[in-house]
Amino acid sequence: MPTPRTLALAASTGAAALAALLTAPAPAASLPAEAVPPAGTYYVQSAITGLAAADASGAVEQHDPRGDEDHQQWTLRAQGSSYVLENTDTAGSCLGRAGDLARTLACGSADAAWEIAPAGEDRYTLKAPGAERYLTVAPKPAGATHPAALAVGAPGDLATWYLTPVASPTRPMPPADQRTLDQVTFLTAHNAYANGVDGGFAPPFVNLLPNQNRGIDQQLADGVRGFMLDLHQTPDGAILCHDSCTLVSRPVALWVDLQRMVDYLAAHRDQFVTVFMEDYVDPGVLRAELARVRGLSDVLYRPDRTGVRQNGWPRMADLIAADQRLLLFTDHSRAADESAGLTRDSFGVMYQREWTVENYWSMGSGVGSSDWSCYSRWYDANTTLPLTRTEPGFRPLFVMNHFRDATITSTARTDNTKLADRARRFCQPAARKKPTYLAVDRYDLGDPAAAVTTLNTYVYP
């Protein structure tokens, strides 16, 4: 936006006072990891990639987390002075080593025994007894992801692991005046603009398969609090379209839908809204578009100015009291904006990869087989941002995507009935955190709001 007034935080109490209000109390210092976790069933997850150790016909490989469907669960127990991890799908078969490779072996084998020691921040090492050889992820070749096969080698970051309980204990959700932003789950509409009600969003044949079938105003009234929007640049500014705005009739401008949200917040002062922008516009165009939204600066929340990275996410009650109730994210690259000379966070739009983690967006084509695994959207040859990413004092918000390539009504209805189950069995342990945003197509089908209600009864430590 062109002026400080447009997107500056409302500061009637002064910037320092506002920061103090929105800064949650510093979390208690992390307790040292237990010397060895208690006996039980675990996922063995790389602390670097977030992927899970799986028995692959005798080899041990890191795979996308897939709950109980891919030989990824291991029962930890003491065996003599060491420990073994027995695969729950193959009795008597334990995670072990053969030369420099991880293998499954008979649990009584000396090469199936491990010394387990804490490596800080709830991480552990698995060491061969009597040798400086550790279960590890193989180094990443240039231009590729880490190899699937797990290795036995030198200590270091690649040899650190989370032992994530298959059935993690939970505790009740704190009272409303104490719960923090990252403890709450919000119903989120994927491609919220692609609804066929507010205006056109794609060429005619794609318009036949809208991601939603209710307009933004109705979505707000129905309890949707997260909105995923695709932005494309035209001579008219930032326009909401799918893939391209060519041949789209009556497309909606970004500022129009944001104005709907800001007006809703003005009328409902206890509510909080988040917008995720799949962003294909120049930063100057986006800034000008946001400048058109009346009252945006009055409700904009700036986590970059309120100590979140040092102290964690603030209490929802404090955000509401400060009237900071609209959070804007972009999936655009900070590096690209720096090259252009204008970063989006300079006018209040946060770079999503700095503040969230997010699983890969598709569960399949829309018909036929499903992929229920939960792995990072941002894990490839160039980027390693696992779902398990944390920083001292800070846990990213978790965006859980639960939709397909195409929105088929019958499939969306069935998928949305399984949302809570996928969150509990697949995505929650994969990310080691509870979803903050549950993003679905056709939120009106299959009652995904019920899954949100269930998730909002507890916190996942």
Side-chain angles (χ1 to χ4, degrees), residues 148-235:
L150 294 178
V152 181
D157 288 343
L158 291 175
T160 56
W161 301 89
Y162 294 114
L163 297 178
T164 302
V166 167
S168 180
T170 62
R171 54 188 174 85
M173 175 72 83
D177 63 344
Q178 294 298 315
R179 62 191 60 166
T180 55
L181 176 59
D182 57 323
Q183 292 175 326
V184 180
T185 300
F186 300 95
L187 179 61
T188 299
H190 170 238
N191 286 355
Y193 66 94
N195 54 59
V197 175
D198 295 327
F201 60 90
F205 69 93
V206 180
N207 273 336
L208 297 175
L209 297 171
N211 298 99
Q212 311 298 335
N213 76 336
R214 298 176 181 176
I216 295 295
D217 285 336
Q218 187 61 51
Q219 292 178 36
L220 286 160
D222 291 343
V224 175
R225 293 295 177 265
F227 298 85
M228 293 181 168
L229 307 176
D230 288 9
L231 284 60
H232 291 270
Q233 188 167 319
T234 76

Side-chain angles (χ1 to χ4, degrees), residues 22-188:
L22 292 186
T23 300
S30 298
L31 295 175
E34 297 177 83
V36 179
T41 306
Y42 293 87
Y43 298 105
V44 181
Q45 290 176 273
S46 167
I48 298 302
T49 68
L51 305 184
D55 179 7
S57 301
V60 180
E61 300 177 345
Q62 56 170 349
H63 289 180
D64 299 334
R66 199 176 174 86
D68 57 357
E69 296 185 357
D70 186 41
H71 313 297
Q72 297 182 4
Q73 297 183 352
W74 306 87
T75 299
L76 173 70
R77 67 172 185 271
Q79 184 163 286
S81 59
S82 301
Y83 297 85
V84 294
L85 285 153
E86 182 178 10
N87 193 270
T88 59
D89 293 322
T90 309
S93 181
C94 282
L95 191 159
R97 53 201 175 271
D100 292 334
L101 293 176
R103 302 285 298 179
T104 51
L105 306 170
C107 292
S109 167
D111 286 328
W114 299 96
E115 294 177 356
I116 299 178
E121 299 182 72
D122 200 26
R123 302 178 183 188
Y124 297 88
T125 58
L126 278 69
K127 175 181 172 295
E132 287 298 308
R133 302 177 69 242
Y134 296 79
L135 181 68
T136 186
V137 173
K140 178 178 176 178
T145 57
H146 290 279
L150 294 178
V152 181
D157 288 343
L158 291 175
T160 56
W161 301 89
Y162 294 114
L163 297 178
T164 302
V166 167
S168 180
T170 62
R171 54 188 174 85
M173 175 72 83
D177 63 344
Q178 294 298 315
R179 62 191 60 166
T180 55
L181 176 59
D182 57 323
Q183 292 175 326
V184 180
T185 300
F186 300 95
L187 179 61
T188 299

Side-chain angles (χ1 to χ4, degrees), residues 164-323:
T164 302
V166 167
S168 180
T170 62
R171 54 188 174 85
M173 175 72 83
D177 63 344
Q178 294 298 315
R179 62 191 60 166
T180 55
L181 176 59
D182 57 323
Q183 292 175 326
V184 180
T185 300
F186 300 95
L187 179 61
T188 299
H190 170 238
N191 286 355
Y193 66 94
N195 54 59
V197 175
D198 295 327
F201 60 90
F205 69 93
V206 180
N207 273 336
L208 297 175
L209 297 171
N211 298 99
Q212 311 298 335
N213 76 336
R214 298 176 181 176
I216 295 295
D217 285 336
Q218 187 61 51
Q219 292 178 36
L220 286 160
D222 291 343
V224 175
R225 293 295 177 265
F227 298 85
M228 293 181 168
L229 307 176
D230 288 9
L231 284 60
H232 291 270
Q233 188 167 319
T234 76
D236 296 321
I239 304 299
L240 301 175
C241 304
H242 189 71
D243 292 332
S244 168
C245 295
T246 302
L247 302 180
V248 177
S249 62
R250 300 184 303 108
V252 177
L254 171 65
W255 78 267
V256 172
D257 273 355
L258 288 182
Q259 190 67 66
R260 291 181 170 118
M261 298 173 198
V262 171
D263 290 347
Y264 181 87
L265 291 173
H268 300 81
R269 295 190 173 275
D270 61 343
Q271 297 301 306
F272 186 90
V273 165
T274 305
V275 176
F276 300 90
M277 293 180 282
E278 187 174 321
D279 187 349
Y280 302 98
V281 305
D282 293 335
V285 171
L286 180 58
R287 182 175 62 178
E289 190 78 8
L290 298 183
R292 302 179 68 180
V293 182
R294 299 181 309 277
L296 180 62
S297 64
D298 296 333
V299 293
L300 189 67
Y301 170 43
R302 296 288 302 265
D304 57 332
R305 294 183 174 178
T306 52
V308 169
R309 300 199 86 87
Q310 294 75 37
N311 300 302
W313 295 98
R315 290 180 287 260
M316 293 298 301
D318 290 341
L319 288 167
I320 290 167
D323 204 23

